[in-house]
């Protein structure tokens, strides 16, 4: 969807999202969050492997480093601009 994805939870990881760790440790934990709370966001502090190499749980998990989206839609329906410019 060009307008973005809903995010019901955020898991902030103080590591680099390499393929092995993402697959073996992070995704099993994140999928349990998806089952409980719905779609979410993984934030890797030190970046991550190319997105095409990382599992996104059939689109239920958004993955990013510190390059956060330019806008966030709040539950109130209001948009918040995250860019400093």
């Amino acid at each position: 969807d060009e307008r973005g994805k809903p995010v019901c939870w955020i898991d902030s990881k103080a590591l680099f999202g390499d393929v092995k760790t993402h697959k073996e440790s992070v995704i099993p934990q994140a999928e349990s969050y998806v089952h409980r709370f719905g779609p979410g966001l993984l934030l890797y502090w030190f970046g991550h492997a190319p997105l095409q190499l990382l599992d996104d749980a059939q689109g239920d998990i958004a993955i990013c480093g510190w390059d956060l989206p330019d806008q966030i839609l709040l539950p109130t329906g209001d948009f918040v601009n995250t860019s400093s410019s």
Side-chain angles (χ1 to χ4, degrees):
D1 186 328
E2 292 298 318
R3 296 176 301 157
K5 292 183 174 189
V7 171
C8 300
W9 54 268
I10 298 172
D11 190 358
S12 178
K13 299 291 189 189
L15 50 88
F16 176 82
D18 66 275
V19 174
K20 183 177 192 288
T21 303
H22 182 82
K23 179 180 178 180
E24 294 177 3
S25 300
V26 176
I27 281 295
Q29 179 185 30
E31 285 179 331
S32 72
Y33 297 159
V34 169
H35 294 301
R36 286 186 209 134
F37 308 115
L41 175 96
L42 289 173
L43 172 65
Y44 285 111
W45 291 18
F46 301 106
H48 52 76
L51 290 176
Q52 65 269 23
L53 300 178
L54 300 177
D55 181 4
D56 68 356
Q58 293 80 43
D60 285 330
I61 300 171
I63 302 165
C64 70
W66 284 115
D67 55 338
L68 296 174
D70 293 332
Q71 288 189 324
I72 297 173
L73 176 64
L74 300 176
T76 61
D78 298 321
F79 280 96
V80 175
N81 290 321
T82 61
S83 59
S84 58
S85 53

